[in-house]
Amino acid sequence: MTRWRLELEYDGAGFVGWQRQDNGLSVQEVVESGIQGFTGESVRATAAGRTDSGVHALSMTVHVDFAKPMEPERVMQALNAHMRPHPVAALAARPVPDDFHARFSCLGRHYRYRILVRRAGPVLERGRVWHVPQGLDVDAMNRAAAVLVGRHDFESFRSTQCQADTAVKTLDRLHAVPTGEEVVVSVSARSFLHNQVRILTGTLVQVGLGRWTVGDVQAALEARDRAAAGPTAPPDGLYFVRADYPRGTGPDPSP
């Protein structure tokens, strides 16, 4: 039995999320069915993050075990062939030590949120950005973001359905950058709470629109109450960028 590390790109629109569910097709199901298609083995794929319905991935790390001996290039090609026509692609595949775990070996996770800031709605990017027709004050957004960086109790910034034992997390990076017609929010941490990135982004947009102040964000953090924070941004603009691991467990995309 060989443990394989895969890097996957996918369009989350049309999926119920990464994890298998009874109410629709998941990315996990597509990957597991694809591997079974060329190995004949029933497998379980584990991802670095459990993205929600509509959330995309630029390079999601996944591990899976199967016995069939194959070269890495052949694994990637066979998996891509068996996942068609679903919008999921294997970018890389390589064998890793048995103790490598896509979730538990992860040292850091990086997300990107794309906000389209213009009057006209998206056409070519529909389902891939959050359309905000009003202008955003990015400097104000970053002043508010600075309040949230560091180790805090993020109870106000997680879904009420979040099952994590504690809301205390360390946020390593939260920063907004204007890029053409978009404002891109970058978020990094070792781990996240359910919907945390989307709630952080929704809150920063309230600041960017002038509806909230930096003090309001500080008060929301201190309230430790989901009702005190901003709205949950839609999934469309959220992308899992990459996961970081110790050296020797496969190629990590450049920061």
Side-chain angles (χ1 to χ4, degrees), residues 39-210:
T39 65
E41 303 171 39
S42 179
V43 299
R44 177 79 172 181
T46 300
R50 298 176 181 176
T51 52
D52 290 334
S53 176
V55 176
H56 318 293
L58 301 179
S59 185
M60 174 64 77
T61 301
V62 173
H63 84 255
V64 64
D65 301 329
F66 58 84
K68 185 174 183 177
M70 296 181 70
E71 292 298 317
E73 184 70 16
R74 178 58 181 153
V75 170
M76 184 179 72
Q77 293 175 350
L79 179 54
N80 284 332
H82 282 82
M83 291 192 299
R84 294 190 187 105
H86 301 292
V88 185
L91 307 178
R94 64 162 292 173
V96 288
D98 291 343
D99 60 355
F100 173 81
H101 195 285
R103 181 181 175 191
F104 299 130
S105 299
C106 185
L107 301 177
R109 295 167 172 85
H110 307 270
Y111 283 89
R112 179 181 302 159
Y113 197 104
R114 295 173 57 200
I115 306 166
L116 179 66
V117 185
R118 71 181 191 192
R119 289 290 182 184
V123 177
L124 299 179
E125 296 286 359
R126 184 176 297 147
R128 295 179 174 86
V129 294
W130 179 15
H131 177 225
V132 177
Q134 305 96 322
L136 294 175
D137 184 338
V138 178
D139 289 339
M141 292 171 68
N142 282 323
R143 288 195 295 272
V147 170
L148 299 166
V149 172
R151 186 172 177 81
H152 303 288
D153 185 329
F154 285 100
E155 185 65 41
S156 298
F157 296 87
R158 67 167 170 171
S159 164
T160 54
Q161 281 77 48
C162 181
Q163 298 179 353
D165 293 335
T166 176
V168 175
K169 294 288 181 182
T170 299
L171 195 62
D172 297 319
R173 176 179 171 83
L174 179 61
H175 191 71
V177 176
T179 305
E181 293 182 315
E182 295 185 15
V183 171
V184 178
V185 179
S186 297
V187 192
S188 299
R190 187 178 185 114
S191 62
F192 291 91
L193 301 162
H194 186 210
N195 282 353
Q196 184 179 0
V197 176
R198 291 167 58 190
I199 298 170
L200 290 169
T201 302
T203 300
L204 293 185
V205 165
Q206 294 301 300
V207 176
L209 292 171

